[in-house]
Amino acid sequence: MTDSPASASVSQAALRGLACRCPRCGEGRLYAGFLTLRPSCDVCGLDYAFIDAGDGPAVFIIMIAGFIVVGAALVVEMKYQPPFWVHAALWAPLILATTLLPLRSMKALLIALQYHHKAAEGQLIGREPK
C-alpha cells in the first residue's frame, strides 16, 4: 500500500468508499461486478490485493436491517395484527432492499477505511526473553 502525496482525511476516505471508488485516488472504480473487486485501479494503478473486508460489511448490514425490519414487523403486528401472509408480503421486499442495496457501499466504505488506516494482518513481534 503506497500513499498518495497528499493523504486523504477520514471523511474523504469515507466518501470515496461510499461512492465505490478507489481508496487512493477516488477516481477509479472499485468493483468489476456486484461485489467482485477489480484487480487494480484503472486510473492510479493501486493493486487491490491488500483488500480483506471479510464478513464485516455483511455483519453491519444484517444488524442494521434486522433492527429496521424486526422493529417495523413488531409495530405492524401490535397495531394491526395482520395474517402471516401479509407479513411475508410486507417484509420480504424490505429485507431484500435493506440488505442488498447498501451492501456494496458498506464493503467499499470498509475497504477505504482499511486503506486509510493502513490496516494489515497482525504480526507477532519478536522479543528477547527476560
Side-chain angles (χ1 to χ4, degrees):
M1 283 189 286
T2 58
D3 288 333
S4 62
S7 183
S9 66
V10 175
S11 60
Q12 280 181 320
L15 289 174
R16 288 175 182 174
L18 291 173
C20 300
R21 296 293 178 184
C22 173
R24 179 166 52 184
C25 68
E27 297 295 322
R29 294 185 318 200
L30 193 60
Y31 293 110
F34 181 65
L35 290 176
T36 307
L37 294 172
R38 292 176 175 273
S40 64
C41 178
D42 51 352
V43 175
C44 70
L46 175 65
D47 184 18
Y48 293 154
F50 72 91
I51 294 174
D52 183 24
D55 291 335
V59 170
F60 284 123
I61 295 299
I62 287 171
M63 293 297 178
I64 294 167
F67 178 77
I68 293 168
V69 173
V70 170
L74 285 173
V75 168
V76 168
E77 177 62 33
M78 297 304 261
K79 193 163 187 160
Y80 302 109
Q81 297 178 348
F84 288 125
W85 67 268
V86 174
H87 279 293
L90 285 175
W91 309 125
L94 184 61
I95 289 169
L96 291 174
T98 57
T99 54
L100 294 179
L101 293 178
L103 186 58
R104 192 175 151 112
S105 295
M106 180 63 77
K107 182 176 179 177
L109 173 64
L110 289 180
I111 289 168
L113 292 176
Q114 177 185 6
Y115 177 80
H116 176 76
H117 293 292
K118 298 174 182 69
E121 187 175 334
Q123 298 175 358
L124 295 175
I125 299 172
R127 295 187 179 153
E128 295 181 25
K130 293 183 180 181

